[in-house]
């Protein structure tokens, strides 16, 4: 049923039928399809899990470990060459601009060559945060968003994972890049983790000129 409601919501959204879309989201929550109005996962959904757009650092211990490892991870990111990055697979999510990534692990599967290029990052995660690398939906990705880029509102496929963004290079000049998850907007900070449930609708606006780079 989750996939049916997800597709129904997308159809109403594309048709710009906002009132019907809002009513459908409320109906989905009433019928137990999702726990929160802002959620719209289309694959794996667990109704017993907490439904919150953003999570705190205290709730996710491995995020603190990533923040402590920030200098090491930043150095390895900066050692990567431009030609090693790839345009993201979900190209349709890009409204305007450019979004590239460098994958180390994707959905629990390693990219062997890329892992060799970032041995310290992989070692830190495998030794101190193994749940990130072994979760079947888990991924470890360097994500680069160019200036003047906007990512369309969308939802992740499941609430069985959380997204952690460790800010690596984050523009400090206004307008700064920002992300909306649910109804709340936040900005990244270099060396700090942002934790959110991407089964909630989210979008990104980066109207500045410098790249925004995070480790997902």
């Amino acid at each position: 049923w989750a996939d049916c409601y997800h597709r129904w919501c997308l159809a109403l959204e594309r048709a710009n039928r906002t009132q019907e879309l809002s009513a459908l989201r409320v109906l989905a929550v009433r019928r137990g399809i999702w726990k929160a109005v802002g959620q719209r996962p289309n694959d794996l959904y667990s109704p017993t899990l907490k439904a919150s757009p953003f999570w705190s650092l205290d709730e996710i211990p491995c995020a603190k470990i990533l923040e402590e490892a920030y200098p090491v991870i930043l150095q390895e990111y900066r050692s990567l060459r431009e030609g090693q990055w790839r345009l993201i697979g979900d190209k349709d999510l890009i409204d305007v601009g450019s979004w590239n990534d460098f994958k180390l692990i994707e959905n629990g599967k390693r990219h062997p060559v890329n892992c060799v290029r970032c041995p310290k990052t992989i070692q830190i995660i495998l030794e101190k945060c193994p749940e990130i690398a072994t979760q079947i939906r888990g991924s470890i990705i360097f994500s680069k968003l160019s200036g003047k880029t906007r990512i369309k509102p969308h939802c992740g496929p499941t609430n069985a994972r959380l997204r952690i963004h460790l800010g690596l290079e984050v523009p400090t000049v206004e307008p700064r890049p920002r992300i909306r998850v649910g109804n709340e907007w936040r900005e990244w900070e270099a060396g700090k983790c942002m934790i959110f449930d991407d089964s909630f609708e989210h979008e990104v606006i980066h109207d500045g000129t410098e790249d925004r780079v995070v480790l997902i």
Side-chain angles (χ1 to χ4, degrees):
W1 283 108
D3 184 56
C4 292
Y5 274 82
H6 175 79
R7 293 177 183 274
W8 193 355
C9 284
L10 284 179
L12 292 175
E13 185 176 6
R14 289 166 181 164
N16 201 28
R17 293 161 65 173
T18 55
Q19 289 186 336
E20 292 170 86
L21 176 60
S22 297
L24 179 59
R25 287 175 172 173
V26 172
L27 178 63
V29 172
R30 285 178 181 170
R31 292 185 172 179
I33 305 300
W34 305 307
K35 187 178 286 187
V37 172
Q39 283 183 306
R40 201 169 67 239
N42 67 335
D43 188 3
L44 177 62
Y45 177 71
S46 175
T48 62
L49 297 177
K50 173 183 172 181
S52 177
F54 287 101
W55 290 55
S56 71
L57 204 65
D58 291 336
E59 294 176 291
I60 310 297
C62 64
K64 295 181 180 180
I65 295 172
L66 293 176
E67 288 189 353
E68 292 170 358
Y70 163 69
V72 175
I73 297 173
L74 177 64
Q75 184 180 29
E76 279 203 328
Y77 146 69
R78 286 178 170 168
S79 71
L80 299 176
R81 295 193 302 274
E82 193 65 33
Q84 295 168 343
W85 293 75
R86 296 290 181 268
L87 182 67
I88 67 156
D90 295 326
K91 296 183 288 293
D92 291 342
L93 294 179
I94 304 173
D95 187 28
V96 63
S98 177
W99 184 13
N100 296 281
D101 64 26
F102 183 89
K103 294 181 174 69
L104 301 178
I105 295 178
E106 184 179 19
N107 292 327
K109 297 180 180 180
R110 297 191 196 186
H111 288 250
V113 175
N114 289 356
C115 286
V116 169
R117 289 170 175 155
C118 300
K120 294 179 181 178
T121 299
I122 287 295
Q123 183 180 12
I124 289 167
I125 292 173
L126 290 178
E127 291 182 356
K128 299 183 178 181
C129 314
E131 64 275 18
I132 295 178
T134 57
Q135 214 258 28
I136 193 170
R137 301 275 181 172
S139 297
I140 303 171
I141 302 170
F142 287 107
S143 173
K144 181 186 295 184
L145 203 68
S146 300
K148 306 300 181 184
T149 296
R150 294 198 173 198
I151 306 303
K152 301 174 185 176
H154 63 286
C155 295
T158 178
N159 69 331
R161 69 178 183 199
L162 294 175
R163 286 296 194 198
I164 302 174
H165 284 193
L166 172 64
L168 296 177
E169 290 185 346
V170 182
T172 56
V173 177
E174 298 292 341
R176 299 185 62 203
R178 55 199 177 106
I179 182 171
R180 176 184 64 82
V181 184
N183 295 319
E184 184 178 352
W185 287 92
R186 292 193 183 183
E187 297 178 345
W188 292 272
E189 294 182 54
K192 301 296 182 182
C193 283
M194 178 189 295
I195 309 163
F196 63 95
D197 180 347
D198 75 341
S199 69
F200 282 81
E201 183 179 89
H202 53 289
E203 64 177 312
V204 175
I205 294 178
H206 182 12
D207 288 338
T209 57
E210 300 176 351
D211 292 342
R212 180 239 60 181
V213 182
V214 299
L215 177 70
I216 299 177

